[in-house]
Amino acid sequence: MNLQHHKNSISESGFTVINTIFSDEEIDKIIHVLENIDTSKETFRKSEDLFAIRQFLKEIPEVNELIFNENIKIIIKDIFGDKYVAVKSIYFDKPEKSNWYVAYHQDLTISVDKKLELPNFGPWTTKQNQFAVQPPLDILENIFTIRIHLDDTDENNGALKVVPQSHAKGIYRPETIDWNVETEKICNVEKGGIMIMKPLLLHGSNRTTNGKKRRVIHIEFSDRELPEELNWSERMN
């Protein structure tokens, strides 16, 4: 894999798509695990439009060895760096009939193990005893997100739409997007492919119109230690 082009694309545009990272067989094994889990846990979010599992790698530990195949390990090491570890993971299932629409936004919070009064950390939110906080900008700028696609995804079943280069503009309020200056790009990803993005990249997705599933595993990586007694709640080496 020649990853330099993808590395450049992430730093310049804020994202890249790399297909054929997982074989069909590997994806089918991941799907098999997902289809056989107990979905009654309170960390699982269920509605007609969305099924989501927070703290995915912790909740479903048997997927870890399937997800971290040789290709993913090489990508983390060569594109991110030696010290990067997973610090947050979510599984999203946007069903065939979903009307789930996601407006443009940045991913501005990290998951931590407790609430502490720290300079430049805040605002805080707590859901089901899980703590999320907006950290200082340099921590956000350092994170990489990998989105693993378990289905072919295009604009008809909720592929991400992004604003290229918006990741380099700090906190960017979506309502201030000037479409005379900015462009929109739809990120089609094949089953078994990945999209890598920076969390500050403005992104959203449209409703599903083609009756096809869109299942995505979202994993965030950082090489930072948090200050004082604060820890990443999902840190996994």
Side-chain angles (χ1 to χ4, degrees), residues 186-224:
I186 306 284
C187 299
N188 295 350
V189 187
E190 294 170 9
K191 172 184 174 177
I194 65 170
M195 176 180 175
I196 302 174
M197 59 179 270
K198 301 297 283 178
L200 293 176
L201 182 75
L202 279 164
H203 59 285
S205 65
N206 292 332
R207 294 178 176 85
T208 297
T209 57
N210 66 357
K212 291 185 178 168
K213 277 172 122 35
R214 188 207 73 173
R215 292 165 294 183
V216 173
I217 296 165
H218 169 117
I219 309 175
E220 296 175 20
F221 297 83
S222 175
D223 64 350
R224 294 291 173 91

Side-chain angles (χ1 to χ4, degrees), residues 54 88 90 92 102-111 133-137 139-147 160 162 166-167 170-174 195 197-204 218-220:
R54 295 183 180 283
K88 185 177 184 175
I90 312 170
F92 293 108
V102 182
Y104 268 112
H105 66 285
Q106 295 172 302
D107 293 339
L108 295 175
T109 63
I110 59 172
S111 297
V133 65
Q134 184 170 324
L137 194 60
I139 291 178
L140 290 173
E141 287 173 338
N142 219 48
I143 291 172
F144 290 91
T145 300
I146 293 182
R147 292 169 57 89
L160 277 198
V162 302
S166 54
H167 70 298
I171 306 296
Y172 193 145
R173 304 310 313 169
M195 176 180 175
M197 59 179 270
K198 301 297 283 178
L200 293 176
L201 182 75
L202 279 164
H203 59 285
H218 169 117
I219 309 175
E220 296 175 20

